[in-house]
Amino acid sequence: MKYETLPFPMERQVTIQGGRLASRKHTIHALIEVDVTKPRRMIHEHKTRTGETLSFTAFVIACLVKAIDQNKRMHAYRDWRNRLIIFDEVDVNTMVEAEAGGRKRVIPHWVRAANKRTLRDIHDEIRMTKAKPEQTREFGVKWLGLLPAFVWDIFFWFIFKNPHWLKKSFGTVGMTSVGMFGRGSGWAIPFGLHTLDVALGGIAEKPGVADGRIEIREYLCMTISFDHDIIDGAPAARFTQRLKELIESGYGVEEFTMGERDDGEG
């Protein structure tokens, strides 16, 4: 019998512990389709003019933090005294695939105070993380995989009693993208580690209505997961609608491309 034995990556142990934590939370999921025809056209036009590909992940993060900025309860944490702590800054915990040690790895990256920054700032940070992952603080997270399960349980118990520690260690909202690994429609159900987690699935072409006409549109499959202990259905629905509007309008992309034009004129 032929077989191959491979070492189990330490960073996968971190993922396993995240899954154990997520299984204890009361998470509700919204699976939606978002018409991304306009923003993807704008991104394509920018690439045609400049050769630069705007990070789609950065674009969605910019829309996400704008929507949270208008309803900050969406990223609130509960402390040990049963109070809601609502932070002003939105820290997005996202995943970036990068080449490191001769192989591709998916590493976590925290985009700090994303609601105070421009799309250009977020784009540049994600591109830098992808190009030089070893220079990021999060690159060392894989070594946490050496910790035994009972140490993780103690760590989680303490950190989830203090939202300020939680923000520093996990961010205030999570976002992951699996659509980059395949084509066509499809949803992903993320780990519910935060009060709000977002997973970007596939993008597929299908008939849609635009300006009263039926035409081929591009639709992004998106999953939005809420901690039901903190967020009720009606606020979650309003937040989802606002996020959808921001993405479909191409929020932030025009300013991104205008910066490029201004630089060219200067």
Side-chain angles (χ1 to χ4, degrees):
M1 180 184 298
K2 294 183 178 181
Y3 65 93
E4 184 179 10
T5 301
L6 298 174
F8 193 75
M10 280 189 296
E11 61 263 27
R12 300 308 306 164
Q13 293 289 352
V14 179
T15 303
I16 290 171
Q17 298 307 322
R20 291 179 62 237
L21 174 62
S23 67
R24 306 171 190 172
K25 298 178 74 67
H26 306 134
T27 305
I28 55 175
H29 306 283
L31 280 70
I32 65 172
E33 289 184 328
V34 184
D35 187 342
V36 293
T37 308
K38 179 178 179 180
R40 280 172 60 85
R41 183 182 68 247
M42 296 168 71
I43 291 171
H44 176 72
E45 290 172 351
H46 175 72
K47 183 176 181 179
T48 301
R49 287 194 308 270
T50 68
E52 178 186 40
T53 302
L54 168 59
S55 166
F56 190 76
T57 298
F59 160 64
V60 177
I61 288 176
C63 296
L64 176 64
V65 297
K66 178 64 175 179
I68 295 173
D69 224 11
Q70 296 171 352
N71 188 351
K72 289 194 169 67
R73 190 185 180 97
M74 292 296 120
H75 78 146
Y77 282 135
R78 186 173 57 166
D79 71 2
W80 67 277
R81 295 172 62 183
N82 251 345
R83 302 176 303 179
L84 287 181
I85 306 301
I86 302 176
F87 295 101
D88 182 55
E89 294 182 347
V90 184
D91 292 349
V92 180
N93 184 343
T94 190
M95 307 302 293
V96 177
E97 185 185 46
E99 189 87 21
R103 65 184 179 89
K104 288 187 176 181
R105 289 177 45 191
V106 177
I107 61 172
H109 180 71
W110 285 257
V111 182
R112 301 289 184 181
N115 57 321
K116 308 294 184 182
R117 301 166 61 184
T118 65
L119 175 54
R120 167 59 72 180
D121 289 338
I122 299 171
H123 164 87
D124 289 344
E125 181 171 328
I126 289 177
R127 289 294 187 233
M128 179 61 69
T129 301
K130 187 176 179 67
K132 300 180 179 180
E134 66 281 353
Q135 296 184 7
T136 67
R137 183 177 63 86
E138 294 85 4
F139 186 74
V141 167
K142 68 173 184 175
W143 299 106
L144 293 175
L146 295 173
L147 298 177
F150 79 90
V151 175
W152 279 97
D153 288 338
I154 295 172
F155 170 70
F156 286 147
W157 189 88
F158 275 104
I159 204 168
F160 273 86
K161 298 294 183 181
N162 189 319
H164 297 280
W165 295 350
L166 193 54
K167 178 179 184 293
K168 184 176 181 180
S169 300
F170 287 97
T172 65
V173 60
M175 199 190 86
T176 185
S177 176
V178 297
M180 68 181 74
F181 303 117
R183 298 176 64 109
S185 61
W187 286 263
I189 306 298
F191 285 164
L193 298 178
H194 306 84
T195 301
L196 173 66
D197 286 279
V198 175
L200 307 183
I203 296 177
E205 293 184 344
K206 61 177 63 178
V209 178
D211 299 325
R213 301 188 307 273
I214 297 177
E215 58 183 50
I216 298 300
R217 311 288 291 178
E218 293 182 291
Y219 289 93
L220 166 69
C221 299
M222 176 182 289
T223 305
I224 308 177
S225 303
F226 304 90
D227 184 344
H228 202 16
D229 290 349
I230 296 176
I231 302 174
D232 286 327
R238 290 192 292 269
F239 169 82
T240 300
Q241 181 60 35
R242 180 55 180 153
L243 175 58
K244 185 177 179 181
E245 292 169 354
L246 288 166
I247 295 174
E248 292 184 342
S249 69
Y251 171 77
V253 178
E254 185 174 357
E255 287 77 7
F256 185 96
T257 59
M258 285 299 294
E260 164 259 316
R261 292 173 184 170
D262 291 344
D263 292 343
E265 292 174 359

